[in-house]
Amino acid sequence: MRRVRFRDPAGATRTGEWTDAIECDGRSYDPAAVEVLPPCEPTKVVCVGRNYVAHADERGADVPDRPLLFLKPPNAVASHGATVTLPTGVAGNRIEHEVELGAVVGERCRDVDPAEATGVLAGYTVMNDLSNRDDQRRETNWVRGKAFDGAAPIGPVLATPEEVPDDATVECRVDGEIRQRASREQMVFSVPELVSEVSRFLTLEPGDVIATGTPKGVGPVEDGDRLELTVEGVGTLQHTVRA
Ligand code: MN
């Protein structure tokens, strides 16, 4: 099932199932005619860096021997269909896209065993880990580089785990041109390993997102660009950016 949160034409917040249309309480809604909301309301987004070897290589960085973790706060979340206003960075303004599989937590948990980890997940979504490279490069704490308003577009749905194959394709297109395309099989640390590791340090809450790293092909986004970020089984998160 692919669950969508949306605001109906009367302004009410609803949850429905996204098939061809959005089905909710016996009614069908045209996805293009409603405001799609983020599929979950995270207390935090836990991001994993350099979790694909080819992306670490393109960044000139080593693959870490344990997951490299950083946080995005709730203010970073943006929805499907949003126009994200890019920040004016302190060190510069090279903002890049990073398509990622987002694992969405379904229950409060801590110290989760890897063998139990998929059981605490509500499912999966798509996330764009928007990153200001100029600020990121200049600082060891990536608040300016990674945590700005709108730096985490997520959606369009929360897909239950069985919808997303183990070898799901992860892809990013900018104005229709494919920039990133890989299989989640290429992750260094698997989703269960990531859930387990993060939960050793942080209590995970329902709706929290673990963004599982981006494959190679990251590149700049500019004023007016239309981004389409796809995870097989979840669907396509679409948003634009404005300088
Ligand atoms: Mn990332």
Side-chain angles (χ1 to χ4, degrees):
M1 178 177 176
R2 300 168 66 240
R3 204 169 73 219
V4 57
R5 291 175 63 242
F6 66 102
R7 191 166 288 132
D8 72 15
T13 298
R14 298 183 179 278
T15 300
E17 183 175 0
W18 192 324
T19 53
D20 291 328
I22 293 174
E23 307 294 340
C24 175
D25 294 337
R27 290 189 55 187
S28 288
Y29 296 84
D30 176 358
V34 301
E35 180 187 353
V36 176
L37 301 172
C40 55
E41 298 179 280
T43 69
K44 55 198 168 289
V45 176
V46 186
C47 298
V48 180
R50 300 180 209 154
N51 200 33
Y52 290 77
V53 173
H55 171 62
D57 286 348
E58 76 179 346
R59 301 281 303 143
D62 293 332
V63 174
D65 58 5
R66 62 179 188 171
L68 170 65
L69 304 177
F70 58 95
L71 292 174
K72 295 193 185 215
N75 66 283
V77 171
S79 56
H80 175 77
T83 297
V84 175
T85 300
L86 301 176
T88 302
V90 177
N93 291 310
R94 185 185 173 92
I95 315 272
E96 294 192 340
H97 56 80
E98 295 190 356
V99 62
E100 309 201 1
L101 171 71
V104 181
V105 174
E107 61 186 69
R108 189 165 214 254
C109 58
R110 161 120 209 195
D111 289 326
V112 179
D113 188 273
E116 310 291 328
T118 50
V120 305
L121 295 180
Y124 296 101
T125 191
V126 186
M127 191 179 112
N128 189 4
D129 173 17
L130 283 169
S131 305
N132 184 330
R133 296 295 181 217
D134 295 309
D135 277 326
Q136 187 185 358
R137 191 180 302 117
R138 289 267 288 263
E139 301 182 356
T140 50
N141 184 315
W142 298 341
V143 172
R144 292 184 182 85
K146 292 272 199 179
F148 55 85
D149 285 352
I154 59 173
V157 302
L158 170 58
T160 45
E162 75 279 3
E163 299 277 354
V164 181
D166 290 340
D167 63 350
T169 299
V170 178
E171 181 179 288
C172 175
R173 296 180 300 284
V174 178
D175 289 338
E177 177 194 334
I178 295 177
R179 296 271 192 92
Q180 297 181 269
R181 186 177 167 87
S183 163
R184 66 176 282 204
E185 278 186 319
Q186 295 164 14
M187 286 181 191
V188 176
F189 298 102
S190 68
V191 168
E193 289 171 328
L194 295 173
V195 170
S196 178
E197 175 69 8
V198 171
S199 73
R200 291 177 57 212
F201 299 93
L202 301 176
T203 298
L204 292 169
E205 304 283 355
D208 283 355
V209 176
I210 298 177
T212 58
T214 200
K216 74 172 179 183
V218 300
V221 295
E222 280 157 11
D223 186 45
D225 281 351
R226 184 173 193 279
L227 284 88
E228 295 167 293
L229 307 111
T230 302
V231 171
E232 184 182 358
V234 178
T236 298
L237 165 68
Q238 177 269 318
H239 74 87
T240 55
V241 297
R242 182 173 59 201

